[in-house]
Amino acid sequence: MTELLTAAQMRAIEQAEIESGSVTGLRLMERAGRGAVDAAFAKWPTLGQGRHRALILCGPGNNGGDGFVIARRLADRGWDLDVFLYGDSDGLPPDARTNHDLWAQMGAVQRLDPAAIRSCDRPDLFIDAVFGTGLTRPLPDELAEVLDIGMMGVWTSGQTIRRLAIDCPSGLNLDTGMIPAQEGAPRKVNTADLTVAFHSLKAGHKLGLGPALCGEVRIVDIGLHAADAGPRAALGTPPDPNRARLVARARESEGIPRVWPSALIPKLNSSGHKYTYGHVMVLAGGPGRGGAARMAARTALRSGAGLVTVLCPPDAMLENANHLDAVMLHACADAEAFRQIADTRVTSLCLGPGLGVGQATRDLVAAALCHNGGTRNPRQTAVVLDADALTSFEDDPDALFALCHGRTVLTPHEGEFARLFPDLAQGERGARSKIDVVRMAADRAGCIVLLKGEDTVIAQPGGGASVHSATGDRAVPWLATAGAGDVLAGLIAGLAAPDSVPDLFCATEAAVWLHCDAARLFGPGLIAEDLPDMFPEVFLTLGA
């Protein structure tokens, strides 16, 4: 399951399954609780052997009901349990109340109280089943204090206490990946070693603080099989306008053919001549500013483009000629010269890295966005705009948006994004997620927008969106290095160059994944210049 559902989407899927008569809410809760226990034992096999102790915090909703199922399941295995309820049992939803009562026949339910929890014996497993997918408000102080006890530990002897969260660590907004807080108040942070997600990942598992707070996330199948419960659009196909998806390669254990992303790299799947694979032009800045464009160009060539040309001002020709061999070079003084140079065989353009900020860059962007393949290929040329090509429009973003078309990709980091979309900047998002604001930006700009970060979000007009999460086993902190974004821009341009690549959004997703994989293969010590020459090694791994 590669989709990243919102809380509302998950509720709708569950409700549709229940209304179909194929399952009851009580049965889903039972599956969830049992699946959570199985996931914990799979991660920590020693807990599945012999007697242990757990401390379970149950919340006032269905998340708490899952906690009571877990309590019964562990008690059946001989565990000692301390079970606490936040709130009043009379206020529990019907299914959660049923499971509360079933547990109450086996053991005590205590009112959640910090002093009482401190007096408990040290648990082997601390289970947070308080708030799950629906929380959008800050944690109450009393509850935050209790969760701090479980997170920091007040039991000074014994082994490490393992922390299990149901849906997510309480306090995390699973739509945004952020921690709700009152204005001016500190955020109340709660973490887990293992988080169980039911049916599918949620957006907050991969956005913002979610990956850091959730620890390892394991998906538990609770048997939702209605028509709308499955993924709507697989990677490599145009995205669904309503459901975001995760940019991740299928694991062999999932039994899904591992054709992505190799199917989006024509040289791995077909034969032809150099123009079959497209001609990329990368526009460079003046003397001393050509390094970024050269890295983008080398990456475009490594990615499979048939030809790549760097266009630079005449006074930068000597500098660039000393660095380029397979990449071609041509003098280009201004936008009018570009129009004369870029013939109909040019299929992809990359502008921005080291280009310089100002009117000259704005003119070049306007010329590039008007380029097409003429009668040979009437569709618009793919245009990737990064760095200076974006900042040059800081004072008039609408002028850029008026030029953009559906085969344009904007690749800002958060600072550049704030210049073009100030009302959607990090400090202005409120309850909106990163997915929400990038979708809004794509609609406004009329093109694909890629907002870089550990949680890179890509969106196109109409709502299609995806997230690449460089966290967990795909964490690459060494990718935070000057020039890495220039390489990504060149990679997108290179993958978009062949006429046989039908969907620019899909090519952009593949580029983000490959970019991260190249950094992972190189490892610590990476600088941006290392990235272009890692792509052959990445491509060799795609058949594995």
Side-chain angles (χ1 to χ4, degrees), residues 14-229:
E14 289 179 323
Q15 192 59 38
E17 196 90 16
I18 293 168
E19 290 176 356
S20 74
S22 62
V23 72
T24 64
L26 197 61
R27 185 61 185 158
L28 289 177
M29 193 171 286
E30 186 73 21
R31 293 172 183 170
R34 289 175 175 266
V37 172
D38 292 343
F41 289 169
K43 180 172 178 62
W44 300 299
T46 57
L47 293 183
Q49 303 167 6
R51 288 184 65 174
H52 298 275
R53 174 175 288 276
L55 193 155
I56 306 176
L57 306 182
C58 298
N62 285 329
N63 204 247
D66 298 339
F68 292 121
V69 175
I70 292 169
R72 285 193 288 108
R73 183 69 170 160
L74 294 178
D76 288 343
R77 299 178 71 97
W79 280 47
D80 297 315
L81 299 166
D82 293 298
V83 180
F84 292 85
L85 172 63
Y86 178 70
D88 191 330
S89 61
D90 290 338
L92 289 168
D95 294 334
R97 179 58 190 262
T98 297
N99 277 304
H100 167 276
D101 294 346
L102 288 171
W103 165 249
Q105 296 172 20
M106 301 174 65
V109 178
Q110 304 178 62
R111 188 182 71 82
L112 190 144
D113 176 72
I117 288 173
R118 287 191 180 91
S119 69
C120 291
D121 291 338
R122 184 193 63 79
D124 301 295
L125 183 63
F126 184 98
I127 301 172
D128 172 6
V130 185
F131 291 116
T133 59
L135 186 71
T136 59
R137 64 184 186 278
L139 284 175
D141 290 339
E142 180 185 38
L143 180 57
E145 181 182 353
V146 167
L147 291 169
D148 277 344
I149 294 170
M151 185 171 69
M152 304 304 295
V154 296
W155 300 276
T156 56
S157 62
Q159 297 179 348
T160 301
I161 299 170
R162 300 164 178 88
R163 302 188 304 277
L164 170 66
I166 308 305
D167 283 325
C168 66
S170 291
L172 179 67
N173 182 322
L174 264 188
D175 283 344
T176 67
M178 303 307 290
I179 302 291
Q182 299 287 353
E183 187 172 352
R187 298 185 185 275
K188 298 159 186 173
V189 178
N190 172 37
T191 67
D193 301 307
L194 173 66
T195 295
V196 290
F198 301 120
H199 178 65
S200 171
L201 291 171
K202 312 306 180 296
H205 289 132
K206 294 297 181 181
L207 293 176
L209 299 173
L213 300 184
C214 290
E216 180 184 351
V217 181
R218 296 196 178 192
I219 299 173
V220 170
D221 182 1
I222 55 173
L224 297 173
H225 301 302
D228 205 33

Side-chain angles (χ1 to χ4, degrees), residues 1-2 234-235 246-261 474 513 541-542 544:
M1 186 71 168
T2 60
L235 286 172
L246 181 67
V247 179
R249 201 170 186 220
R251 300 179 186 273
E252 290 183 6
S253 60
E254 293 174 342
I256 301 171
R258 289 161 60 87
V259 298
W260 186 92
R474 289 189 63 78
W513 187 90
T541 70
L542 295 182

Side-chain angles (χ1 to χ4, degrees), residues 132-399:
T133 59
L135 186 71
T136 59
R137 64 184 186 278
L139 284 175
D141 290 339
E142 180 185 38
L143 180 57
E145 181 182 353
V146 167
L147 291 169
D148 277 344
I149 294 170
M151 185 171 69
M152 304 304 295
V154 296
W155 300 276
T156 56
S157 62
Q159 297 179 348
T160 301
I161 299 170
R162 300 164 178 88
R163 302 188 304 277
L164 170 66
I166 308 305
D167 283 325
C168 66
S170 291
L172 179 67
N173 182 322
L174 264 188
D175 283 344
T176 67
M178 303 307 290
I179 302 291
Q182 299 287 353
E183 187 172 352
R187 298 185 185 275
K188 298 159 186 173
V189 178
N190 172 37
T191 67
D193 301 307
L194 173 66
T195 295
V196 290
F198 301 120
H199 178 65
S200 171
L201 291 171
K202 312 306 180 296
H205 289 132
K206 294 297 181 181
L207 293 176
L209 299 173
L213 300 184
C214 290
E216 180 184 351
V217 181
R218 296 196 178 192
I219 299 173
V220 170
D221 182 1
I222 55 173
L224 297 173
H225 301 302
D228 205 33
R232 293 179 176 177
L235 286 172
T237 65
D240 182 83
N242 297 309
R243 291 188 187 172
R245 64 190 182 194
L246 181 67
V247 179
R249 201 170 186 220
R251 300 179 186 273
E252 290 183 6
S253 60
E254 293 174 342
I256 301 171
R258 289 161 60 87
V259 298
W260 186 92
S262 54
L264 292 165
I265 305 169
K267 277 190 177 176
L268 298 182
N269 304 286
S270 63
S271 60
H273 55 77
K274 60 189 176 184
Y275 283 106
T276 302
Y277 301 108
H279 183 184
V280 179
M281 282 188 168
V282 181
L283 280 72
R289 299 205 307 268
R294 291 193 296 269
M295 286 191 292
R298 186 170 182 84
T299 302
L301 196 59
R302 284 290 193 194
S303 73
L307 305 87
V308 178
T309 301
V310 167
L311 303 184
C312 69
D315 57 355
M317 285 288 289
L318 181 60
E319 172 192 327
N320 284 301
N322 282 327
H323 290 277
L324 299 175
D325 293 309
V327 173
M328 298 182 293
L329 181 63
H330 200 297
C332 178
D334 52 29
E336 183 55 38
F338 167 82
R339 294 184 183 94
Q340 299 300 317
I341 297 165
D343 62 21
T344 59
R345 293 181 297 181
V346 174
T347 55
S348 185
L349 297 163
C350 176
L351 294 83
L355 192 56
V357 175
Q359 187 59 48
T361 293
R362 290 173 60 135
D363 292 342
L364 284 167
V365 169
L369 288 168
C370 290
H371 185 274
N372 61 53
T375 56
R376 186 195 66 82
N377 185 354
R379 73 178 181 176
Q380 294 287 145
T381 302
V383 180
V384 183
L385 302 179
D386 185 38
D388 294 346
L390 304 177
T391 302
S392 290
F393 289 88
E394 178 179 10
D395 294 334
D396 190 5
D398 288 341

